[in-house]
Amino acid sequence: MELKPGLSALVTGGASGIGKALCLALAAKGIFVTIVDFSEEKGKEVASLVEIENSKFHQNLGFPSAIFVKCDVTSLNLNLAFEKHVSTYGGLDICINNAGIANTALFWKDQTDGTKTWKHTINVNLVAVIDCTRLAIKSMQALQKPGVIINMGSSAGLYPMYIDPIYSATKGGVVMFTRSLAPYRRQGIRVNVLCPEFVQTEMGEKAGAKYITLLGGYVQMENVVKGAFDLIVDESRAGSCLWITNRRGMEYWPGPAEEAKYLVLSSSSSRRKISFRAPLGAQLPQSFEKVVVHKLTHNFRDATHIVRTPLKLPIESGHVLLKIIYAGVNASDVNFSSGRYFLGNKKDLSSLLPFDAGFEAVGIIAAVGDSVSNLEVGTPAAIMVYGGYAEFMTVPSKHILPIGRPDPEVVAMLTSGLTASIALEKVGQMESGQVVLVTAAAGGTGQFAVQLAKLAGNKVVATCGGKEKARLLKDLGVDRVIDYKTEDIKTVLKNEFPKGVDIVYESVGGDMFDMCLNALAIRGRLIVIGMISQYQGEHGWKPKNYPGLVEKLLTKSQSVAGFFLPQYSYLWKEHLARQFDLYSSGKLKVAIDPKRFLGLHSVPDAVEHLHSGRSSGKVVVCIDSTFEQKMAKL
Ligand code: NAP
C-alpha cells in the first residue's frame, strides 16, 4: 500500500512514545489519523500536531484530519472508536494496535485476583490487540477495500524477558496471533507484527542503563517508524514479523530456514503450503520432457537434446516427484556434457550415455511415494542432483532440501552460493582483516564470494570484464573493483597490494591463475574453484602444467587447494540455512542475470550465454512460466 495523502489510520496508544511517533509520521504523509488513548491531554496534543502536518496536504476538508478518542482499549466502548473513524473517513486503511503496558507486580506474590495487575497487562497487551484486530478486520471487510493492520509486538515476544515474564507472554501471544492471520491477505487484509527491542520511551527507560548498553543502546525511533512503514508498503508482507535490534538491524523472523523446518514437518496445513498447493492444481501428466546428454562433447548444444519420457506412477517408495520451476545454469554444464565428471569412474565413458543434464533446480513437490512421511505435496523444495533440466524429477526423499519459496534467488544460493560459502570457510579458512581477491566476481558464484568475504570483515578486491558488472560489484560492497577491460589486473595488484592478497577465490584459470598465484601474500591461500577460461577450448578442456609451482609455494608458505562442491554435501543444509538467514535479513543480495530463458529449449542458449562473458549474476532458466505467473499472484 502506498502511503499517500487521503488514506486514514487508527492508532491505539497514540498519545505518547512509539504511538505518537507513528501518528506524526503518518500525518507527514498526509494521512488522516484517529488517536485512541485514555490520556486526554496528551492525546489531544498529538491530534493538533497531526492536523498541523495534514494542513500541508489538505485544506477545507469539511471534517477534521485528526480525531482524538478517549478510550481504554480494554473497555467495551472500543468499538465506538472504530465506528467514529469509519464514519468520519469513510473507511479504515491502516490500523496500528500499539497500546501496551509493562507489568510491575511480581505475579506469583500477587495477593489480589490479578485484575488490576498482571491480568490487566494481559488484557491491554494481548486481549485488546485481538479485539482491535477483530474490529479493524470487520471495518475493512465491510468496505471491501485493502487494509493493513500492524500489531505492536516486542523482541520480548521472540525470546524470554526474565524481568517481566507477563509482558513477554503477552507479546509472544501477539506475535503468534498475528502470524496466524497471514491467510487474510486473500481478502486484501495484511496483518503484520513489529518487534523492536528497547526504544527510548517512558516504558523503555524503565530498563536498566547497563542492560541497554549490552544491547548496543536503544533502537532509534526512526527505525521503528521505518519498520512499520515497510510492513505497510511491502505488499508481500502478511503474517510477517519484523524484528528490530541495534545489533542485527531489521530482519524478518523467523528466517526461511527456520520456517522451512516446521513447514515441512507439520502435518496440518500452513500458510505456505496453502499458497503453494493452489497452483499445482492440474492432474499430473502421463509423460514429461527433459534434457539428456546423448553425445560426449563440451559443446552443450551438440551434446544434448530434449526427450519425452513417461511419468512413472505411483512414485517409488522413499522417493518424491518434484515439479521443476527454475533450474540453475553452471559453467560446468559443459564439463558434465563432455563426460569429465565421470572420468576415473569408467574407461568407456560413452557407455554412460544417455544421461540427464542439469545440476540444480527448485520446484514444488508434486507426489510422494510410500514411506515418505515428512514431505507433502505442495511443499516448495530444492534439489542438487543431476537431472535438473527437466519438467519433473523423481528423487530419493533424502535429497530434498526444504525451502521457503521456489524462486530464482534460491536457485542461485544452491551450487553458486554454497560453493562460495563452504569453500571460503573450509578451504580458505577465511577470518577477518584480510585481503580477499575474487575472480569472475560478478558471476554466479563470484557474487556470493565477494559478499561473504565482506561480511566477514575483509577487504575485497574483485575482477570482472565490463562496466555493468563493475557497477554490480560496487553495489555489493567490493572495495576495489578491477574491470580488466579498462585496467591491467597485474599492475593494479602490484601497485595497490604490494604485500599481496591473503586469499584468492579463483575460478577463471589459465593466465588468471598464474597472475593470482603471483599476487599471493606470504602464507596466502589460493582456492581453485574452477577454470572457466579453459572449458571451451577447440578440443575441450586441456590439462595444464605449472612449472615451478611447488618451489613457489614452499618459499612463501603458501597453499593452493582445490574445492569441489559435491564432496562437501554434508554441509549443504547448514550453509544453505545461513544464506537464507543472511538473505532474509537483507545482508546478502542475490543478482540474477537479466536475460530471460524460458522452457527447456532455451537451456543451450542459457549455457552459451554464461560462457559468452556477457552474463552478470546467476543465469537461471524458467522451466514453467505458467507456474511463475500463478506464483506472482500469491
Ligand atoms: P559464472 O561465474 O556465472 O560465469 C560467467 C563469468 O565467467 C563471466 O561473466 C565471465 O566473467 C567469466 N567467463 C566466462 N567465460 C570466460 C572465459 N572464456 N574466459 C574467462 N572468463 C570467462 O559461472 P559459475 O557457474 O558461477 O562458475 C564460475 C566458476 O566457478 C567456474 O570456473 C566453475 O567451474 C566454478 N564452480 C566451481 C564449483 C566447485 O565445486 N568447484 C562450483 C560452482 C562453480 P568476467 O569476464 O567478468 O570475469
Side-chain angles (χ1 to χ4, degrees):
M1 178 184 288
E2 192 192 342
L3 287 160
K4 57 180 184 208
L7 292 181
S8 75
L10 181 147
V11 182
T12 70
S16 59
I18 295 174
K20 177 179 175 179
L22 288 168
C23 290
L24 298 181
L26 288 163
K29 301 265 179 198
I31 294 171
F32 308 132
V33 185
T34 293
I35 299 122
V36 180
D37 208 299
F38 59 65
S39 172
E40 192 161 2
E41 195 185 329
K42 288 183 187 167
K44 282 186 172 164
E45 187 195 322
V46 175
S48 57
L49 291 172
V50 168
E51 290 214 285
I52 293 168
E53 280 297 325
N54 255 319
S55 64
K56 296 173 191 162
F57 299 88
H58 316 278
Q59 280 88 40
N60 309 319
L61 281 170
F63 56 85
S65 67
I67 313 170
F68 169 68
V69 179
K70 184 176 163 65
C71 172
D72 177 339
V73 286
T74 63
S75 71
L76 288 174
N77 60 0
L78 186 62
N79 59 332
L80 298 178
F82 282 82
E83 278 168 19
K84 185 159 187 187
H85 181 95
V86 173
S87 63
T88 310
Y89 300 118
L92 174 65
D93 302 297
I94 299 162
C95 175
I96 304 184
N97 299 318
N98 161 78
I101 54 171
N103 177 58
T104 43
L106 207 50
F107 71 98
W108 56 271
K109 274 190 176 173
D110 196 352
Q111 302 289 320
T112 70
D113 69 354
T115 42
K116 291 209 167 75
T117 54
W118 60 272
K119 281 188 191 164
H120 182 58
T121 304
I122 294 174
N123 284 335
V124 175
N125 290 6
L126 180 60
V127 179
V129 167
I130 296 172
D131 220 12
C132 288
T133 305
R134 177 182 69 83
L135 290 164
I137 288 177
K138 267 178 70 180
S139 310
M140 290 167 181
Q141 279 172 335
L143 287 142
Q144 294 193 337
K145 270 174 65 189
V148 182
I149 301 168
I150 295 185
N151 291 330
M152 192 54 71
S154 157
S155 47
L158 303 178
Y159 47 84
M161 185 170 164
Y162 304 110
I163 51 166
D164 194 344
I166 299 296
Y167 180 81
S168 211
T170 59
K171 293 299 182 180
V174 170
V175 169
M176 291 316 296
F177 168 66
T178 309
R179 291 184 55 209
S180 305
L181 297 177
Y184 281 83
R185 79 183 301 168
R186 285 187 224 126
Q187 299 177 27
I189 301 169
R190 295 188 289 109
V191 195
N192 295 309
V193 55
L194 193 63
C195 289
E197 224 162 52
F198 289 95
V199 185
Q200 195 163 15
T201 60
E202 213 174 296
M203 189 197 282
E205 281 173 351
K206 288 186 182 135
K210 261 193 193 164
Y211 187 49
I212 297 295
T213 310
L214 281 174
L215 296 175
Y218 285 112
V219 169
Q220 294 300 304
M221 190 66 90
E222 66 202 52
N223 288 338
V224 180
V225 172
K226 184 180 179 313
F229 280 12
D230 283 356
L231 289 173
I232 296 171
V233 172
D234 185 346
E235 297 287 344
S236 71
R237 294 290 164 199
S240 297
C241 172
L242 183 57
W243 179 32
I244 312 180
T245 61
N246 263 342
R247 288 156 294 137
R248 297 171 61 97
M250 288 200 196
E251 71 189 85
Y252 285 95
W253 188 94
E258 193 58 35
E259 218 172 355
K261 285 184 198 163
Y262 72 82
L263 284 173
V264 170
L265 295 175
S266 160
S267 59
S268 59
S269 62
S270 67
R271 174 169 68 92
R272 286 218 194 276
K273 271 188 275 178
I274 290 165
S275 305
F276 287 103
R277 263 171 191 278
L280 206 54
Q283 284 200 331
L284 292 173
Q286 290 186 332
S287 64
F288 67 94
E289 290 191 327
K290 61 179 182 176
V291 175
V292 296
V293 176
H294 62 92
K295 179 178 151 191
L296 295 173
T297 162
H298 66 279
N299 181 328
F300 191 85
R301 194 177 290 279
D302 289 350
T304 57
H305 60 201
I306 294 175
V307 296
R308 183 161 278 284
T309 186
L311 183 63
K312 287 185 198 136
L313 291 172
I315 300 302
E316 217 179 309
S317 172
H319 284 61
V320 162
L321 178 74
L322 189 70
K323 170 165 180 53
I324 292 172
I325 301 171
Y326 291 102
V329 180
N330 287 282
S332 248
D333 280 327
V334 300
N335 299 326
F336 190 65
S337 68
S338 72
R340 181 159 285 275
Y341 270 42
F342 304 110
L343 279 180
N345 292 351
K346 278 226 182 231
K347 282 206 179 100
D348 177 19
L349 289 179
S350 56
S351 67
L352 297 168
L353 293 170
F355 53 86
D356 300 346
F359 293 169
E360 58 189 352
V362 295
I364 304 287
I365 293 178
V368 294
D370 283 349
S371 80
V372 177
S373 56
N374 62 337
L375 296 169
E376 284 184 12
V377 172
T379 306
I383 48 99
M384 286 173 67
V385 288
Y386 301 139
Y389 292 141
E391 290 171 336
F392 285 91
M393 224 182 142
T394 302
V395 287
S397 62
K398 66 176 183 197
H399 290 323
I400 289 290
L401 299 162
I403 56 174
R405 281 180 67 97
D407 291 339
E409 286 76 9
V410 178
V411 183
M413 287 184 226
L414 301 175
T415 308
S416 299
L418 286 175
T419 297
S421 180
I422 301 172
L424 284 170
E425 182 180 299
K426 295 293 167 196
V427 184
Q429 292 163 36
M430 182 173 71
E431 290 171 1
S432 58
Q434 297 184 310
V435 179
V436 180
L437 169 64
V438 180
T439 62
T445 188
Q447 62 167 322
F448 288 95
V450 296
Q451 293 183 81
L452 294 174
K454 207 58 217 147
L455 282 168
N458 295 294
K459 182 162 197 160
V460 178
V461 187
T463 72
C464 70
K467 269 191 211 148
E468 288 294 319
K469 294 194 221 182
R471 202 167 304 133
L472 169 69
L473 289 171
K474 268 281 158 211
D475 284 350
L476 297 181
V478 170
D479 298 286
R480 178 64 164 98
V481 180
I482 314 174
D483 173 358
Y484 62 75
K485 294 204 169 153
T486 56
E487 282 188 291
D488 178 47
I489 301 176
K490 198 170 158 186
T491 313
V492 174
L493 292 174
K494 203 170 154 199
N495 292 345
E496 297 180 30
F497 301 92
K499 288 190 181 159
V501 298
D502 303 296
I503 298 176
V504 185
Y505 187 87
E506 211 296 282
S507 54
V508 174
D511 294 345
M512 183 70 94
F513 173 87
D514 292 336
M515 203 150 43
C516 291
L517 188 64
N518 288 333
L520 206 55
I522 289 174
R523 292 188 299 279
R525 295 175 293 282
L526 189 155
I527 317 168
V528 178
I529 296 296
M531 52 264 318
I532 193 167
S533 66
Q534 295 168 238
Y535 297 165
Q536 293 278 58
E538 205 182 327
H539 303 290
W541 178 1
K542 282 231 183 76
K544 217 178 157 229
N545 285 326
Y546 298 93
L549 175 69
V550 177
E551 291 75 8
K552 249 184 206 167
L553 299 181
L554 176 68
T555 51
K556 288 192 173 175
S557 303
Q558 294 166 332
S559 44
V560 172
F563 176 86
F564 189 48
L565 184 64
Q567 283 148 6
Y568 288 84
S569 57
Y570 62 99
L571 291 172
W572 289 357
K573 276 193 181 160
E574 180 196 331
H575 280 254
L576 203 51
R578 281 198 225 164
Q579 287 185 82
F580 287 160
D581 282 346
L582 288 172
Y583 179 66
S584 65
S585 62
K587 291 179 185 140
L588 181 74
K589 293 179 188 162
V590 180
I592 304 295
D593 183 79
K595 202 163 163 59
R596 298 260 295 145
F597 296 98
L598 273 183
L600 288 177
H601 288 92
S602 69
V603 171
D605 298 336
V607 173
E608 285 171 11
H609 177 61
L610 186 147
H611 283 278
S612 70
R614 288 192 299 274
S615 67
S616 168
K618 178 76 184 178
V619 181
V620 171
V621 177
C622 176
I623 305 293
D624 182 347
S625 61
T626 58
F627 212 95
E628 190 185 41
Q629 285 151 15
K630 285 178 204 154
M631 297 266 305
K633 287 192 192 136
L634 293 173

